[in-house]
Amino acid sequence: YQRRVRGQMMRLKKLLVGAAVLGCIASSCHIKKSTSLDRVFSSFIVHADESQNLELKLVQIITRHGWRAPLSTTGSKHEWPCTVQAYPMLYVSQKGQETKLYEDFVPSTKKKSVSETCMVGQLTFLGSQQMRQIGENLRKKYVDKLHFLPPDLNDEDIYVRSTESARTIESAFALLSGLYPIEQRPKNSRIEVEIKPRADENMYPRSSCQRFGELYQEYKESNQYKELNTELRRLFSSFEDQDEAAVRYWSRASPPVACNRLRTMNAHGFNGHNLFTSEFIDQIELISGQYYQQIYMSNEVCRLGIGRFVNDLVEKINQATEKDSSFSKLQLFSGHDNTIAPLLNAFRVFDGRHPNMGSVIIIELWKDNANNQHYIKMLFNNKELILPGADSTLCSLEHFMENIALPLIPKDYYEECRPKKIIQ
């Protein structure tokens, strides 16, 4: 079995047929090629399968939204560029009611403004470009090279789900506009985006899970977290003699908040008082990565934080393996950093860095028609991952289910969420 899998992978690797640049073009997006952002804007490697036995059956794409404005007006002195764009034939299904985007659904209207054109947390014009480019490169892989999807949109081929956040909804629409531009959409075609009611949302950890809250509080009181925060403060304090007010502001931020704000400022050409170099931001990204890694070391935290979403993915994978079943070939889930980081940690393939805006997890389901066996391949920002216990990037579906995915799914989520500490 192992020799057969390795042989299949060698044939796949020999047929590297090209790459498409992921992300914004540096000259038009004001991103220096020398910055570490090139990691995020790496290419989607396109593999063609030489073996007639292997057939791609399903693609699940889990994204973090694109570049956004800050989540707070505090300390924001920049003119963030945002636009509200109309995406044709894209619908939102929320709370059982369907509305056409930008006819009845208007994002961010109740939030504070960080500039004349941007609400807090809104997808920026750069973020929209970023997600559209990702969609274009997905098209190059799954339409042009692998012929997995047809050139023109077939509504039934695409399933889309987003959290209720405006930036994730807009990011999904921007990606889809790259995957299927208007000229590739037949008349009267439409893509519906599912948004679950807030009480049922599971694409990120929920504060309503009291046991998760206990575990998170334990972590925040741990020496690990205190050491991480001390290192964060030390890094910012090195600039105190240059801008004391700025350092005081940044020193109050948590690792993820500091990382997110610095990254999006840098992407938009705002250098933070000219204090923060790309190398400095890299250090903050690693600290924030350690934050996520330390929290999700516990299997219990993984189960309660992201296990229900893993179950949603697993159910759709199982559906795709059933004979004569009807399912969408490409499934897009538009989420946040606390979708991507928990999922990578739960699968034990986290690279130790805070996932940037526009990060992409891809889960591919392959079938070997010679023996009727199925395999999982996972990629993160175009890097093929080797899942725990697998000896190549092709992991048997049986191993993936029994040893990786199913142990993450709570048997009774609400029972497991009950607090264990006795309140005095």
Side-chain angles (χ1 to χ4, degrees):
Y1 161 75
Q2 293 178 349
R3 286 196 298 271
R4 184 176 72 251
V5 171
R6 282 196 290 268
Q8 291 168 345
M9 289 308 302
M10 288 300 295
R11 289 194 292 272
L12 283 168
K13 290 177 180 178
K14 286 179 182 178
L15 284 161
L16 177 64
V17 296
V21 175
L22 168 64
C24 300
I25 300 172
S27 60
S28 63
C29 295
H30 310 291
I31 301 174
K32 295 180 180 179
K33 291 184 179 179
S34 61
T35 70
S36 61
L37 291 176
D38 292 337
R39 285 196 308 274
V40 179
F41 298 139
S42 60
S43 59
F44 267 113
I45 296 174
V46 180
H47 294 286
D49 177 31
E50 183 184 43
S51 170
Q52 294 180 354
N53 294 333
L54 284 178
E55 177 188 3
L56 183 58
K57 300 293 292 183
L58 174 72
V59 175
Q60 293 178 329
I61 299 171
I62 305 101
T63 64
R64 185 185 179 190
H65 56 75
W67 296 114
R68 59 157 171 77
L71 295 178
S72 168
T73 58
T74 305
S76 181
K77 301 177 181 179
H78 307 291
E79 186 56 38
W80 294 88
C82 295
T83 58
V84 175
Q85 301 183 47
Y87 298 99
M89 294 172 286
L90 295 163
Y91 291 76
V92 177
S93 178
Q94 188 174 27
K95 298 177 181 177
Q97 297 181 349
E98 183 184 279
T99 58
K100 193 171 190 300
L101 189 69
Y102 300 117
E103 286 184 358
D104 300 302
F105 179 88
V106 181
S108 307
T109 53
K110 296 182 180 179
K111 294 184 178 181
K112 295 180 180 179
S113 173
V114 294
S115 69
E116 290 185 4
T117 61
C118 267
M119 301 292 180
V120 294
Q122 186 175 341
L123 189 75
T124 64
F125 181 69
L126 181 62
S128 180
Q129 286 182 313
Q130 176 191 24
M131 299 309 293
R132 184 180 294 108
Q133 186 68 57
I134 291 172
E136 290 174 359
N137 285 286
L138 289 170
R139 181 178 178 84
K140 289 177 182 178
K141 177 176 183 178
Y142 293 112
V143 177
D144 299 339
K145 297 297 181 181
L146 297 181
H147 307 293
F148 175 67
L149 294 172
D152 294 329
L153 174 65
N154 177 359
D155 303 351
E156 296 180 355
D157 285 337
I158 310 292
Y159 167 82
V160 185
R161 176 180 158 191
S162 172
T163 68
E164 67 175 0
S165 170
R167 60 183 172 274
T168 58
I169 298 169
E170 291 184 79
S171 291
F173 290 161
L175 185 152
L176 291 168
S177 70
L179 179 62
Y180 278 107
I182 188 66
E183 60 271 18
Q184 305 299 146
R185 299 186 183 188
K187 188 177 180 181
N188 298 325
S189 65
R190 51 188 284 138
I191 299 176
E192 183 177 313
V193 177
E194 179 184 6
I195 302 173
K196 290 188 177 296
R198 182 172 295 185
D200 299 328
E201 184 56 78
N202 58 28
M203 286 179 66
Y204 50 81
R206 302 306 307 272
S207 59
S208 57
C209 180
Q210 291 178 289
R211 178 57 183 160
F212 183 88
E214 287 181 347
L215 293 167
Y216 180 67
Q217 188 59 38
E218 286 177 13
Y219 168 68
K220 292 197 73 173
E221 294 172 359
S222 69
N223 289 331
Q224 277 186 316
Y225 180 75
K226 291 174 183 177
E227 290 169 5
L228 213 58
N229 259 345
T230 298
E231 177 62 13
L232 190 69
R233 306 293 176 260
R234 185 193 67 78
L235 287 171
F236 281 113
S237 67
S238 62
F239 299 104
E240 199 161 13
D241 59 335
Q242 300 178 53
D243 194 327
E244 186 177 348
V247 169
R248 191 164 53 249
Y249 164 74
W250 286 104
S251 295
R252 292 194 298 266
S254 68
V257 169
C259 181
N260 283 328
R261 189 146 187 170
L262 286 173
R263 275 296 184 206
T264 194
M265 284 174 59
N266 192 44
H268 289 87
F270 307 141
N271 192 262
H273 310 275
N274 296 315
L275 296 180
F276 307 126
T277 63
S278 295
E279 291 73 19
F280 177 85
I281 299 174
D282 277 348
Q283 290 180 285
I284 305 300
E285 185 183 85
L286 286 170
I287 288 176
S288 188
Q290 289 180 61
Y291 165 89
Y292 277 115
Q293 208 159 26
Q294 290 171 3
I295 292 174
Y296 288 95
M297 286 179 64
S298 159
N299 288 334
E300 185 180 9
V301 173
C302 292
R303 285 165 62 86
L304 298 179
I306 204 68
R308 290 188 301 163
F309 180 53
V310 172
N311 185 58
D312 289 351
L313 297 174
V314 163
E315 286 182 349
K316 291 184 179 298
I317 290 172
N318 284 334
Q319 187 180 21
T321 65
E322 296 171 1
K323 187 177 180 180
D324 300 326
S325 65
S326 176
F327 60 92
S328 299
K329 297 173 67 176
L330 187 138
Q331 300 168 359
L332 172 63
F333 302 85
S334 185
H336 305 265
D337 52 354
N338 58 351
T339 304
I340 300 292
L343 201 57
L344 291 173
N345 274 286
F347 289 152
R348 302 307 180 201
V349 289
F350 188 59
D351 64 2
R353 290 184 174 274
H354 186 117
N356 266 319
M357 299 175 199
S359 289
V360 181
I361 295 173
I362 297 178
I363 300 174
E364 296 176 344
L365 175 68
W366 292 81
K367 181 182 180 182
D368 188 339
N369 290 314
N371 57 20
N372 206 34
Q373 297 297 307
H374 289 85
Y375 301 92
I376 291 290
K377 179 187 285 188
M378 185 177 294
L379 303 91
F380 176 59
N381 287 344
N382 191 50
K383 180 182 179 182
E384 295 183 350
L385 306 175
I386 297 180
L387 291 163
D391 62 356
S392 76
T393 57
L394 275 182
C395 174
S396 75
L397 180 62
E398 181 181 8
H399 174 79
F400 174 76
M401 290 296 186
E402 291 185 2
N403 299 293
I404 299 174
L406 295 182
L408 293 169
I409 300 172
K411 290 182 172 59
D412 187 334
Y413 173 75
Y414 295 102
E415 180 63 28
E416 292 183 36
C417 277
R418 294 181 63 175
K420 292 187 176 180
K421 291 184 177 180
I422 299 175
I423 301 175
Q424 301 295 334

